[in-house]
Amino acid sequence: PGTADGQVRVYPSVVSNLVASLEGMLREPVGCFEQASSANYPNIMILKALREEGISDPRLTGRAYKLLDEGYRRLSGYETPLRGYEWFGAAPGHEALSAYGLLEFTDMRAVYHDVDRQMITRTADWLMSRRDGKGGYLRDSKAIDSFGSAAKAVTDAYITYSLTEAKQPGLGPELETASYLAQNTNDAYLLALSAGALLNSGRRGAGQAAARRLVAMQESDGAFKKADHSITRSG
């Protein structure tokens, strides 16, 4: 009784350390769309990291794929009957959450080939149908917690960025809004979204100019502090 019990792990290489760290990040997706995504999205990133680093670890990869199976089944079940996504799948769909889902499913396709392409198209089409004709998007008055209370400029920029990540064409007025923001906003978050949307859409000159403005906003410690809030109201 009272004897200490210890464990020692030896990592003979940076790769072995990386694999152990990634394995410790794997989580089972549970809860509503936002909660399940907080586990599922890192699982996607882990598989992408293994692929990009050329690391073959069948045990880790197999576990990650199993968790992605569970995550995809749960998340895709929250598509509403009227299209778009909501926390538990109740209509109407939530524009910002649907844009977040579109990004997640688009990234997921790179490592998990069972993602339904028609579902991605449906979600993008639904978001396109929510355009207000002025370079932004309509928002349903129903909103749950902070995800629904981001400023209109933040929500609009985020949805446009999400659609460009999914290679959605036909975003003329929305990209004009992004171009205006890229030249005029002093909010680093809005500038980053606008730069990404412009670069994704082939507007290389405007996108690179926006990226240079963004670089100039970076603090000496590497942070970007000149921003009010994100799409989830994080500060």
Side-chain angles (χ1 to χ4, degrees), residues 186-214:
N186 291 314
D187 186 295
Y189 186 76
L190 281 172
L191 182 55
L193 291 173
S194 300
L198 292 168
L199 290 169
N200 286 342
S201 303
R203 301 194 179 196
R204 192 172 180 82
Q208 289 180 336
R212 285 192 292 271
R213 285 196 68 217
L214 186 62

Side-chain angles (χ1 to χ4, degrees), residues 12-42:
S13 68
V14 173
V15 170
S16 64
N17 195 348
L18 174 64
V19 169
S21 299
L22 292 176
E23 186 173 16
M25 290 171 60
L26 288 172
R27 293 290 184 272
E28 182 178 355
V30 295
C32 68
F33 193 98
E34 195 174 352
Q35 291 169 329
S37 293
S38 69
N40 190 70
Y41 225 146

Side-chain angles (χ1 to χ4, degrees), residues 108 111 129 219 229:
M108 195 172 183
V111 294
S129 76
E219 305 288 337
H229 64 276

